[in-house]
Amino acid sequence: MIPARTRLLVAVSLALALGGCASMHSFTETGSIGVSTSLGESESGYTYVPVDPFPVKSVDGDSCKEGSDGQAAGKRVWKPLLEALPDNAVRMLVEQFDRSGGITYGTSKAGAKGESYRVTVDYINADTINVPVAITRLAHQANGTKHEVDLFSELGPEHDPKRVSYRVQRIDTTAPDPDVDPRAVFNIPVYVGVGLRVSANVTVIGANANISGIGVIGYEAEAERLRGSLVVQTLGINGKAIAAALPIQSELNRTTAQNAIVAVGSIKSLLYAQETITSPRVVGLYLPFPGGKPLVNALISELSKNRADWPRPCTVAATATTDAGVAAN
């Protein structure tokens, strides 16, 4: 059972994120960086990107070896899922869609008339794995030809900045490919776990609108400064009570936004209930550098081809619950 103080802190953080966020953090293909939401993001250049959940492959972690934690030797089993996930986080991302179909990632507090956005707030209970990949950047010239360009350099005048693509290849670090340039290899931080997500797709129809949080967006929609739709979904969480708590709605207004916030709180309170079903999923990733939607799509495509391995921690069988998987010895 998670301590009451921890539950309260996470709930407060979630409410703040759903209600509003005034920070700015944007990445574009040209590499411009706005004000980061955290010192870590400012120093590293990373940005969190939520993804549609897909499964992972649970494998034995280091603690699955007998006597690895100093305890007496004995048969090891995987820890119950929620005990195996060490981190809680509430993260927000705003995707801005331009008229040409391009997407800028970041967080924002105001939108201008005619602009379209997707605002996503995630609560995740997760672990982080690093997946090594080789990334190649391809730029198109005006004559239609394309060739590899440096990942971090500015595009030349002969390139079309709207036609940049990426090739991503997963790397086996135990048997390095001699044809792969080591300078193109990056460790992609991938979030594995369970969680809750609220997202709103909106278009600003007034002179401007505040899009700093889900609750604020509901008020702006009711004031007819924007219009859009709202989605509440679970990430690796299921069960009868969970399904009953999900709101059925499509219109975006103050009431539906408030209902979404209430639903998230209700589902979160059921997370540790015995009847709740949980399954580890990939719920998000971090960009290694500014790259926009083409890079994100290439990463997701490569990561979803074959399930990523998640080293799941173990405990001695005598102290494990009955729903834990048995680890191989």
Side-chain angles (χ1 to χ4, degrees):
M1 178 66 69
I2 188 169
R5 178 179 174 83
T6 302
R7 292 200 305 270
L8 176 61
L9 291 174
V10 174
V12 171
S13 299
L14 181 60
L16 290 173
L18 291 169
C21 177
S23 58
M24 176 71 74
H25 184 197
S26 64
F27 288 90
T28 66
E29 176 56 42
T30 58
S32 61
I33 303 178
V35 179
S36 295
T37 56
S38 70
L39 179 61
E41 288 181 349
S42 176
E43 295 298 327
S44 68
Y46 285 8
T47 184
Y48 172 78
V49 178
V51 301
D52 285 336
F54 53 90
V56 296
K57 180 181 178 183
S58 296
V59 298
D60 291 348
D62 291 340
S63 60
C64 296
K65 300 176 182 178
E66 292 187 0
S68 60
D69 54 5
Q71 298 184 32
K75 192 171 185 179
R76 298 294 171 122
V77 296
W78 287 333
K79 285 185 176 181
L81 181 57
L82 297 179
E83 292 182 18
L85 301 173
D87 303 318
N88 283 274
V90 179
R91 296 183 178 273
M92 176 177 174
L93 180 80
V94 176
E95 299 166 87
Q96 180 178 354
F97 303 87
D98 61 34
R99 297 183 185 275
S100 64
I103 300 178
T104 299
Y105 292 97
T107 59
S108 178
K109 64 177 181 179
K113 185 174 183 178
E115 294 178 341
S116 296
Y117 299 87
R118 180 186 295 121
V119 182
T120 303
V121 178
D122 277 2
Y123 160 68
I124 55 174
N125 188 189
D127 193 7
T128 307
I129 60 175
N130 291 316
V131 180
V133 296
I135 301 175
T136 303
R137 186 187 187 200
L138 304 172
H140 295 245
Q141 294 181 315
N143 60 9
T145 61
K146 63 180 180 180
H147 60 279
E148 295 184 14
V149 294
D150 184 78
L151 286 168
F152 303 103
S153 64
E154 295 286 342
L155 296 178
E158 72 277 14
H159 298 129
D160 183 352
K162 295 180 181 179
R163 299 184 63 196
V164 176
S165 58
Y166 293 85
R167 184 169 59 240
V168 177
Q169 175 187 354
R170 196 179 301 192
I171 299 299
D172 182 359
T173 55
T174 61
D177 187 340
D179 295 328
V180 175
D181 185 350
R183 294 172 298 178
V185 176
F186 297 86
N187 281 320
I188 305 299
V190 175
Y191 286 97
V192 174
V194 299
L196 301 163
R197 176 172 296 159
V198 181
S199 59
N201 294 285
V202 301
T203 299
V204 180
I205 58 176
N208 54 65
N210 187 337
I211 56 171
S212 61
I214 298 298
V216 173
I217 286 175
Y219 280 94
E220 294 290 86
E222 191 150 306
E224 299 185 347
R225 285 188 282 268
L226 56 79
R227 63 170 177 264
S229 59
L230 192 64
V231 176
V232 182
Q233 69 178 113
T234 63
L235 312 171
I237 305 173
N238 205 350
K240 290 183 179 180
I242 301 299
L246 281 173
I248 300 176
Q249 56 199 20
S250 58
E251 182 182 358
L252 175 62
N253 54 46
R254 182 177 62 177
T255 300
T256 56
Q258 290 174 342
N259 289 343
I261 295 172
V262 171
V264 167
S266 298
I267 295 172
K268 185 180 174 298
S269 68
L270 296 169
L271 190 56
Y272 287 84
Q274 187 174 2
E275 63 273 15
T276 298
I277 303 167
T278 55
S279 303
R281 314 280 279 175
V282 172
V283 297
L285 56 85
Y286 263 71
L287 286 181
F289 50 82
K293 194 65 173 180
L295 176 57
V296 171
N297 285 341
L299 286 169
I300 293 174
S301 176
E302 181 64 20
L303 292 173
S304 60
K305 283 181 182 178
N306 298 296
R307 297 188 181 188
D309 290 344
W310 173 47
R312 185 166 175 172
C314 285
T315 187
V316 178
T319 61
T321 57
T322 58
D323 64 346
V326 178
N329 289 309

